[in-house]
Amino acid sequence: MPKPIPADPWQGFRPGNWQVRTDVENFIAANCDPYLGDDSDLTGPTERTQALWVQAQMLQQAARATARRSAGPGGTPAGAFGADYLDRREELIYGLIDPLDVEQLPVGSDCRQLALYGSERLRRLGMQLGAVETVEALAGCYGLDIGRPAATAQQAIQWTYLALLATRDPLFGRRRSVTGLDTFFDVYFQRDLARGLLVEEEAQELVDDLMIKLRLPQPTLSELYLPLAAGVDPEGRPLVTRTDFRFVNTCYNLGPAAEPHLLVLWSAALSGAFRRFCGEVTIDTSSLRYARALPLPQTGLAHTFSPDALGATRTEQVENLGLWLDGQPEGDHLGINVFGREALLSTLTRPNKFAHLTVQLAEGAVDLHSLSPLGRRQVLLQLLGSFER
């Protein structure tokens, strides 16, 4: 049974200047609380998530085989939007865009404004009218009324995702970062959990659904970085939220992946629990990138460790990886691979068995299955020659 949608979209939020002017950062500062727990209560993928992810992977395989997704049922011709689904009955977050549509999309701004204020208010203020009209047309294809602010966490993610799809920002070129989704969504999750509209499994399920969509091949979102723990609390310390843990947890629920790049804004002041969890996920999946500050430099670095080089036990490996990150220069953004030599050598000889691996290169992460046989071999040989001593 569908859960009730509150009549007042802002009910339960703390007041602030964000109510009288469009100021998403003030909204977050007034309403986002740091998470002081650990990863022990995170949930795994639901059966619905697993089934949807299988369909998404089939679409990815088809896209790699044909270079672009064919316009099947629900597909759209060039220059027009239309509803497109993986599984309409099972999806929690709607929206796919065909590559043919990309050149006609307008430049956008802060995609979170749509969820917080709704398109009607943005129209009245004359803000990014072309982008607002485009996302309204896209939302209409799915029967969604985005005129009012999002009233639930599900709507906040849906509104923001549609705005992200329907806008592009040439200032970032291919290296585009979208900051503050973790803290913004966390405010909605906190409110919905407190008023009984969600349980933790459902909150994780929504994050998993969003990440499924962001992992699909979409030219508008090419090289998309999602910085985590980029906010600060009232005392100026890194702001880690429960949703930061949820985003990182998708590397377990959906498996390793290169895109979108999950970029952790690393600091010695991060909570110990989040530092440990990021270290564990890096060791297990090699799917996180790290930086000290934004914006990102144009080039990055990649380092490859064998597990034994980091420590004799998992606890030592996680701790030593964190200490190594603490000592890295602030001007770099980098990826970390943790692989045994034997695993990489096995991948060279039996590449199909290990095609699920994600590896970090200087310019960003890449999934081995996305590479040609020659490209895969070159990457593996590069990694074998780059182990940290």
Side-chain angles (χ1 to χ4, degrees), residues 13 24 27-28 32 93 111-112 115-116 150 152-162 164 178 180-193 198 203 206-207 210-211 214 226 228 241-244 246-247:
F13 291 146
V24 176
F27 167 76
I28 292 171
C32 190
I93 305 299
C111 295
R112 301 169 299 176
L116 185 55
T152 64
Q154 187 275 334
Q155 287 188 350
I157 295 174
Q158 178 70 81
W159 277 213
T160 304
Y161 174 64
L162 289 177
L164 187 61
V178 178
L181 295 186
D182 51 346
T183 50
F184 182 67
F185 293 152
D186 195 72
V187 175
Y188 287 87
F189 281 132
Q190 289 182 81
R191 186 183 65 168
D192 283 6
L193 288 165
L198 284 179
L206 284 169
V207 175
L210 174 64
M211 289 297 288
L214 293 178
L226 298 182
L228 305 178
T241 69
R242 178 70 168 178
T243 300
D244 287 306
R246 295 180 182 117
F247 270 114

Side-chain angles (χ1 to χ4, degrees), residues 119-371:
S119 63
E120 291 181 3
R121 177 166 175 169
L122 297 182
R123 275 177 170 274
R124 288 198 304 269
L125 295 174
M127 299 181 63
Q128 298 289 328
L129 289 179
V132 171
E133 292 171 355
T134 300
V135 75
E136 283 179 330
L138 179 59
C141 296
Y142 295 95
L144 300 173
D145 179 6
I146 60 172
R148 301 180 71 245
T152 64
Q154 187 275 334
Q155 287 188 350
I157 295 174
Q158 178 70 81
W159 277 213
T160 304
Y161 174 64
L162 289 177
L164 187 61
L165 281 181
T167 60
R168 59 190 174 93
D169 193 339
L171 295 178
F172 288 100
R174 285 179 53 79
R175 196 174 298 281
R176 179 181 182 188
S177 59
V178 178
T179 308
L181 295 186
D182 51 346
T183 50
F184 182 67
F185 293 152
D186 195 72
V187 175
Y188 287 87
F189 281 132
Q190 289 182 81
R191 186 183 65 168
D192 283 6
L193 288 165
R195 58 189 182 181
L197 292 182
L198 284 179
V199 297
E200 178 55 37
E201 184 180 56
E202 293 170 317
Q204 181 68 56
E205 194 174 40
L206 284 169
V207 175
D208 290 345
D209 255 50
L210 174 64
M211 289 297 288
I212 286 174
K213 293 304 182 72
L214 293 178
R215 287 188 179 191
L216 290 172
Q218 295 169 133
T220 53
L221 306 182
S222 178
E223 290 294 311
L224 180 72
Y225 282 78
L226 298 182
L228 305 178
V232 295
D233 66 15
E235 297 182 12
R237 296 170 300 193
L239 179 58
V240 176
T241 69
R242 178 70 168 178
T243 300
D244 287 306
F245 280 87
R246 295 180 182 117
F247 270 114
V248 175
N249 194 40
T250 62
C251 295
Y252 288 141
N253 285 359
L254 304 178
E259 292 185 2
H261 299 295
L262 291 179
L263 179 77
V264 178
L265 268 292
W266 188 258
S267 167
L270 287 170
S271 69
F274 190 61
R275 285 168 59 95
R276 286 192 298 273
F277 189 51
C278 289
E280 291 173 353
V281 171
T282 293
I283 290 170
D284 291 338
T285 71
S286 297
S287 290
L288 300 181
R289 290 190 73 81
Y290 295 89
R292 291 297 187 92
L294 293 174
L296 290 177
Q298 290 300 306
T299 59
L301 299 172
H303 297 268
T304 303
F305 298 91
S306 66
D308 293 343
L310 289 172
T313 67
R314 185 175 176 84
T315 299
E316 290 178 355
Q317 292 167 3
V318 170
E319 181 177 356
N320 288 334
L321 184 58
L323 292 174
W324 182 85
L325 281 167
D326 288 342
Q328 297 309 296
E330 293 188 3
D332 295 332
H333 77 92
L334 55 92
I336 299 172
N337 302 298
V338 182
F339 295 126
R341 286 184 180 274
E342 296 77 10
L344 291 179
L345 288 170
S346 297
T347 306
L348 268 176
T349 57
R350 303 179 65 186
N352 292 334
K353 183 177 179 181
F354 299 93
H356 63 280
L357 289 180
T358 294
V359 299
Q360 298 285 341
L361 306 176
E363 61 273 16
V366 64
D367 296 318
L368 286 185
H369 60 62
S370 69
L371 301 176

Side-chain angles (χ1 to χ4, degrees), residues 51-69:
L52 194 66
W53 181 222
V54 167
Q55 295 184 65
Q57 289 173 303
M58 292 172 63
L59 180 59
Q60 286 178 317
Q61 292 170 359
R64 286 192 296 270
T66 63
R68 62 172 299 275
R69 182 166 51 84

Side-chain angles (χ1 to χ4, degrees), residues 10 13-23 26 117 121:
W10 288 354
F13 291 146
R14 298 171 192 148
N17 290 333
W18 62 270
Q19 294 174 297
V20 295
R21 66 171 189 262
T22 52
D23 190 340
N26 179 260
Y117 298 107
R121 177 166 175 169

